[in-house]
Amino acid sequence: MKKTLFPKSMWILILFACVTFNIHAVVHITAPLASEYSWYYNGELIPGENDRILRAEDAGVYMVEMVKEDGSQTKEFYNLSASGTVRKLIFIGDSTASMYDINRFPRTG
């Protein structure tokens, strides 16, 4: 009689353990109120996406460029993880590129 490392019932369990399930999450990212929107995915413009709410399906970094009602421009960044978690990314500027009033304290950066 031929000996096997595992009984037949174990082979079924091993077969199913090797199957990978990908959860395909769809997330809606909502930008703040503005008059114009341009959405980017990993630095590349997403053609035709110019609404306040973006339907995001792929993990990565999403950026929205906005023009506010007063004409000023701003950007916001969001990270979508493979599990479907969205986190707003906040970047702190480089102090060497900032302008400081000499009479203002504290001067940090």
Side-chain angles (χ1 to χ4, degrees), residues 10-72:
M10 286 297 289
W11 282 108
I12 294 170
L13 289 174
I14 292 171
L15 175 65
F16 284 112
C18 294
V19 175
T20 303
F21 294 97
N22 291 326
I23 298 172
H24 189 73
V26 176
V27 177
H28 292 90
I29 303 173
T30 303
L33 286 175
S35 58
E36 296 177 30
Y37 302 90
S38 296
W39 286 93
Y40 295 78
Y41 171 69
N42 290 337
E44 299 290 326
L45 179 66
I46 305 172
E49 292 295 343
N50 53 9
D51 293 324
R52 182 178 180 207
I53 299 172
L54 176 73
R55 184 177 188 260
E57 297 182 14
D58 298 313
V61 176
Y62 290 85
M63 180 188 73
V64 59
E65 287 183 335
M66 299 168 283
V67 177
K68 295 182 179 179
E69 297 295 332
D70 64 2
S72 63

Side-chain angles (χ1 to χ4, degrees), residues 2 12 25 35-36 38 46-48 50 52 59 66 73 80 83 87 89-90 94 97 104:
K2 184 178 175 184
I12 294 170
S35 58
E36 296 177 30
S38 296
I46 305 172
N50 53 9
R52 182 178 180 207
M66 299 168 283
Q73 296 181 351
L80 174 58
S83 66
R87 290 188 175 93
L89 303 176
I90 300 173
D94 179 24
R104 296 211 155 202

Side-chain angles (χ1 to χ4, degrees), residues 89-103:
L89 303 176
I90 300 173
F91 295 96
I92 299 173
D94 179 24
S95 63
T96 60
S98 299
M99 299 292 291
Y100 292 101
D101 182 352
I102 198 162
N103 296 320

